[in-house]
Amino acid sequence: MAHRLRPVGHGFAGSAPVRLVFGREVSAAPGRVFRALAEDVTGWTEWFGPVTLARPLDGGAGREIRLRGGARFRETVLVTRAPEVYAYRVDVTNVPGARAMAEEWRLTPAGTGTRVRWTMAADGTAPFRLALVAARPGLGLTFRDAVTSLDRRLAG
């Protein structure tokens, strides 16, 4: 059953009770990575393995995301600052125990490429928080695979 989460602002990515932060360098320039994240939302299904549906809503102010396994998210875009930051919060989800969630993608130049840093910020019931922390290794692998796939896609 879907439920509404507590609305949070962009600062939540730095202050949430649970913050999972992952980073990786890619060869694509920050502008190209930013466009793939923020402007080609439907393209997420091509490079972010667990994403089965990604579509912009409300003229790009929101997103609908569905993951393998059945998780669903309706999100509001919080920050679109090219080519540095793309951030959004989850407004509605069917993930049990979640109370607030946001994600931030921060891009910084790294030589001719980009350092990609993804922060998943969340609050929820104790079991939800524990499960999210326990999922850190798997989420890290998912991030690495996704960013590697995105880099290959942008090079092609």
Side-chain angles (χ1 to χ4, degrees):
M1 167 168 262
H3 60 280
R4 183 160 294 281
L5 275 57
R6 180 176 81 242
V8 294
H10 181 229
F12 187 70
S15 65
V18 176
R19 293 178 64 247
L20 304 178
V21 182
F22 307 98
R24 189 168 186 92
E25 288 188 16
V26 297
S27 59
R32 295 193 71 211
V33 176
F34 182 85
R35 283 188 294 280
L37 291 170
E39 297 170 14
D40 184 16
V41 173
T42 59
W44 284 53
T45 60
E46 300 298 318
W47 58 270
F48 206 108
V51 177
T52 61
L53 176 109
R55 66 183 180 112
L57 301 173
D58 306 322
R63 305 169 1 136
E64 178 185 6
I65 303 292
R66 293 186 185 187
L67 303 180
R68 247 186 332 225
R72 296 186 318 270
F73 306 91
R74 182 176 173 101
E75 303 167 339
T76 295
V77 176
L78 299 171
V79 178
T80 305
R81 188 169 59 238
E84 302 161 352
V85 181
Y86 181 58
Y88 44 88
R89 73 165 178 246
V90 176
D91 295 315
V92 177
T93 186
N94 64 342
V95 175
R99 293 187 182 139
M101 295 177 71
E103 295 181 26
E104 176 191 73
W105 295 80
R106 188 165 293 275
L107 311 174
T108 54
T112 59
T114 305
R115 173 86 179 152
V116 179
R117 187 180 76 190
W118 176 47
T119 301
M120 177 184 284
D123 190 14
T125 62
F128 170 81
R129 291 191 316 265
L130 288 170
L132 197 54
V133 170
R136 177 187 292 272
L139 289 167
L141 180 60
T142 297
F143 167 77
R144 286 187 302 277
D145 289 349
V147 172
T148 299
S149 180
L150 175 61
D151 198 34
R152 277 195 304 267
R153 184 171 193 235
L154 294 176

